[in-house]
Amino acid sequence: MKKTKAKLARAAWRDAIIIFGISAALLAYFISVEAFEYVVEFSDSHESWELDEILTLLMVLPAALAIFSWRRVKETRSELIARIEAENRAQQMALHDPLTGLPNRRHIKQEIDKLLADADRSPVAVMMLDLNRFKATNDLLGHLVGDQLLIGVAERLTEASGPQAVVSRLGGDEFVVLLPDAPKGEALLAKVEQISEAFDKPFELESSIVSAGASIGVTFIDTAGVNSEIALSQADAAMYGCKAKGSNGFRFFEAGMEEASIRRAELETQLAQAIPENQIRPYYQPLVNLSTGEVVGFEVLARWHRDDGEVRMPGEFIPIAEDTGMICELYYSLLRQAAEDVKHWPPELSFSINLSPIQFSDEWLIERTLQILSEAGIAPGRLEIEITENALVKDVEVARKVIEDFKRQRIRVALDDFGTGYSSLRHLNELEFDKLKIDRSFIRDLEFNESSQTIVRTITSLAHNLGLEVTVEGIESTLNADTLIGYGCDLGQGYLYGKPGKATFAHDGKDGYGARKDGAEKVA
Ligand code: C2E
Ligand code: CA
Ligand code: CA
């Protein structure tokens, strides 16, 4: 912009000099042809004509012309500057993302194509980065916080990638980092690690502190003939490969990854159909009173019964449902199906259902939950909501409101997977849970791991002091059960008592409560 202005100023000076030159030349011409004497003579001989006015006019004319022209030139120049500035702004907008100011998809594709033309001489690394659970942050904490987070990500990414890199935002929470003249092997790995580690620290935004893990896919191109479409699709596939592992970090592109990312996209489409068709069904796993061995209720766990007869586990589709926002409809569908089953159970049996933190932003959550229960004639007191202890529940106020709303309706709320998130104690202190479920990772090697024993014992007494009931997950052996009874834990859940199963209650009651043997899952 500065350059354009300087050019225009130079041109204005040039024009001014030309105009003054012409005016001066005109004046000189008048003088040289003795035009003034001629006019004076003419005026003397025609005194009655009062030619002195004409004379003055003639003398003033070049000066007036010069001033007028100078002003016109100035006006034209400023119009031109305004037009050029508007064009530049439009260009900037067409090629840049307005929120972060980074180059946009169109721009980065041009850049990639430019660099790839020379890739055989100067290799290029293209990295695709996607924030994990960004939608949840956006929904949970609001768009303003989401925007602040994206700006923070843009800044952090630009800093971590170094001055040679081109960082761009493709849209949503997807960013691309382009490394021209990319290093190979270990050096590239170190660079990617450095960028990935930039996301380890939470982002301190104006109103909240947010952790934003990222999945990064990297493709390294050192041959000619690859274009931006291919490079981006490879980086995208590698990024999905990283997401499929369910963790933050990075992966390099390998052959076959593109098919996997296409499969995920297909799964997304199929899931959208499967939910209204009730292909996602509730399975039930018993919850047992540890000291009496009596079944007190069941946890609803989602299973996808596909057309081809395959049954998919929640780990394969819940993250997709969360990422796409389909989790809300999935919850209602499961709750409705479960309510139809529960209405045939003895009234003392409760049932619990998992709630994703994304659903906190569903303004109809409580109303629709109550409506489904009332349509099936089930007292709200029989339902329990399980909320996973999730690093995302940073805005405690949102969680508090939902929990209070449920409790006001006599629906109990449990804190699930306790001990796996880092802000557990804060949640426990600030939110009014009824129950705490100790994560099964502490139970796996309970008898051999002293620190697991200490943790389970301490959590149990802490929870009891706070007036909370304690359920322990993942009980697989009587040894586990005996140890936990010794610690004073209240309820237990695990393969020892029953695997998740299709039918929950033998209507004749003879088999007692529990997953019906023919309906229970086989577990490897
Ligand atoms: P979760 O809520 O912690 O559920 C318990 C998980 O532990 C279940 O896995 C269950 O099958 C497994 N499990 C129970 N007892 C044992 C045991 O003795 N040993 C071992 N090794 N595992 C045991 P599942 O059904 O695969 O569900 C995984 C997770 O998916 C659930 O963990 C829950 O977080 C999520 N999930 C399942 N259904 C839903 C749903 O409808 N909505 C939401 N938002 N999440 C769901
Ligand atoms: Ca659960
Ligand atoms: Ca759990």
Side-chain angles (χ1 to χ4, degrees):
M1 182 49 51
K2 267 189 188 151
K3 269 191 195 160
T4 318
K5 277 191 172 165
K7 249 192 205 165
L8 287 170
R10 271 201 304 277
W13 276 112
R14 193 191 54 221
D15 292 354
I17 290 166
I18 291 170
I19 290 162
F20 276 117
I22 292 171
S23 309
L26 210 62
L27 207 61
Y29 174 74
F30 285 161
I31 294 166
S32 72
V33 298
E34 296 176 342
F36 297 108
E37 272 104 275
Y38 174 76
V39 174
V40 171
E41 266 174 36
F42 186 83
S43 146
D44 287 346
S45 53
H46 298 77
E47 268 189 1
S48 58
W49 285 22
E50 295 194 11
L51 282 178
D52 44 346
E53 276 91 355
I54 298 176
L55 184 65
T56 317
L57 195 73
L58 262 177
M59 285 174 69
V60 166
L61 201 64
L65 187 69
I67 292 167
F68 173 75
S69 310
W70 171 241
R71 290 197 56 155
R72 261 317 291 152
V73 165
K74 270 189 79 175
E75 274 167 24
T76 317
R77 291 288 147 199
S78 39
E79 276 166 23
L80 212 60
I81 287 175
R83 214 172 62 214
I84 289 174
E85 278 179 354
E87 272 168 15
N88 283 349
R89 265 200 307 276
Q91 181 87 339
Q92 166 85 7
M93 273 161 71
L95 295 176
H96 289 82
D97 161 46
L99 180 70
T100 59
L102 293 179
N104 64 12
R105 180 185 287 272
R106 216 173 113 198
H107 196 175
I108 198 71
K109 281 178 90 171
Q110 292 170 0
E111 291 293 312
I112 298 175
D113 281 327
K114 235 190 279 167
L115 289 174
L116 285 181
D118 266 349
D120 47 348
R121 268 170 290 146
S122 167
V124 180
V126 179
M127 301 171 48
M128 175 86 75
L129 180 144
D130 188 282
L131 296 180
N132 292 328
R133 294 168 181 253
F134 175 70
K135 191 176 177 335
T137 307
N138 225 10
D139 289 350
L140 216 59
L141 307 179
H143 291 268
L144 223 61
V145 174
D147 282 356
Q148 283 171 16
L149 177 61
L150 290 173
I151 294 169
V153 167
E155 283 166 1
R156 215 174 262 192
L157 208 50
T158 308
E159 199 188 308
S161 309
Q164 303 299 324
V166 186
V167 179
S168 86
R169 180 178 171 220
L170 284 197
D173 58 338
E174 269 190 348
F175 292 82
V176 164
V177 178
L178 186 58
L179 296 178
D181 210 3
K184 282 191 180 142
E186 290 291 312
L188 178 60
L189 192 69
K191 183 85 195 168
V192 176
E193 258 169 5
Q194 183 192 337
I195 296 174
S196 172
E197 281 164 9
F199 290 83
D200 287 352
K201 257 192 350 206
F203 288 79
E204 288 187 24
L205 308 178
E206 271 167 37
S207 54
S208 34
I209 298 173
V210 178
S211 299
S215 299
I216 302 175
V218 190
T219 183
F220 176 79
I221 295 156
D222 58 357
T223 50
V226 181
N227 63 20
S228 57
E229 289 286 335
I230 299 173
L232 285 174
S233 128
Q234 289 183 350
D236 190 64
M239 187 268 289
Y240 270 110
C242 182
K243 262 192 192 276
K245 284 196 308 183
S247 57
N248 301 332
F250 59 86
R251 278 192 78 177
F252 279 81
F253 175 73
E254 292 160 23
M257 274 182 169
E258 276 163 315
E259 288 82 73
S261 103
I262 293 168
R263 267 203 304 280
R264 186 191 143 114
E266 279 170 4
L267 216 57
E268 227 175 272
T269 319
Q270 291 163 358
L271 188 61
Q273 245 176 6
I275 297 168
E277 288 175 5
N278 286 352
Q279 280 183 23
I280 319 278
R281 302 195 191 143
Y283 270 43
Y284 303 92
Q285 188 177 29
L287 287 149
V288 171
N289 178 322
L290 277 175
S291 44
T292 64
E294 182 194 1
V295 172
V296 295
F298 292 85
E299 175 173 3
V300 172
L301 293 160
R303 297 293 183 267
W304 184 355
H305 280 246
R306 289 163 57 90
D307 291 333
D308 55 12
E310 220 187 316
V311 180
R312 295 264 174 130
M313 300 301 280
E316 297 174 72
F317 59 87
I318 296 285
I320 302 178
E322 286 179 336
D323 255 9
T324 54
M326 290 189 246
I327 193 74
C328 297
E329 282 314 309
L330 174 55
Y331 162 87
Y332 294 125
S333 159
L334 280 174
L335 184 64
R336 205 170 289 117
Q337 295 177 68
E340 280 306 305
D341 289 332
V342 173
K343 70 180 182 194
H344 304 294
W345 297 357
E348 66 274 17
L349 284 181
S350 66
F351 71 120
S352 68
I353 190 159
N354 292 286
L355 190 88
S356 164
I358 291 160
Q359 295 175 253
F360 289 164
S361 62
D362 174 2
E363 54 179 325
W364 299 107
L365 180 63
I366 312 288
E367 279 83 350
R368 284 186 71 179
T369 299
L370 289 171
Q371 192 190 351
I372 291 169
L373 293 177
S374 103
E375 276 167 13
I378 294 169
R382 290 178 74 187
L383 177 65
E384 196 169 277
I385 299 289
E386 295 192 7
I387 300 174
T388 305
E389 188 197 23
N390 188 313
L392 260 173
V393 189
K394 285 278 168 2
D395 193 338
V396 177
E397 285 315 309
V398 182
R400 188 201 311 281
K401 188 177 175 307
V402 175
I403 293 169
E404 278 174 7
D405 287 349
F406 272 124
K407 293 193 66 170
R408 208 169 291 130
Q409 302 299 334
R410 304 199 21 254
I411 295 173
R412 279 164 302 151
V413 185
L415 178 55
D416 205 357
D417 305 335
F418 189 77
T420 54
Y422 64 87
S423 50
S424 335
L425 290 175
R426 184 174 151 216
H427 290 162
L428 214 52
N429 191 30
E430 298 188 16
L431 306 169
E432 288 189 24
F433 290 102
D434 298 285
K435 196 186 213 180
L436 183 153
K437 296 185 80 172
I438 299 179
D439 191 68
R440 66 171 189 266
S441 55
F442 297 105
I443 311 307
R444 210 175 298 138
D445 55 353
L446 185 65
E447 284 75 24
F448 316 100
N449 187 329
E450 270 187 41
S451 78
S452 289
Q453 293 167 14
T454 312
I455 290 170
V456 174
R457 250 195 332 243
T458 314
I459 294 176
T460 305
S461 79
L462 177 82
H464 284 163
N465 284 338
L466 291 170
L468 303 176
E469 238 186 345
V470 174
T471 302
V472 183
E473 303 182 301
I475 303 177
E476 296 191 3
S477 65
T478 43
L479 189 62
N480 280 166
D482 291 342
T483 310
L484 295 164
I485 292 167
Y487 293 167
C489 305
D490 307 294
L491 303 172
Q493 180 179 358
Y495 297 162
L496 176 66
Y497 306 107
K499 292 162 190 162
K502 272 185 206 163
T504 58
F505 178 60
H507 288 271
D508 56 11
K510 274 187 202 143
D511 291 339
Y513 313 131
R516 221 196 269 154
K517 289 178 185 64
D518 61 351
E521 278 180 336
K522 289 183 186 65
V523 178

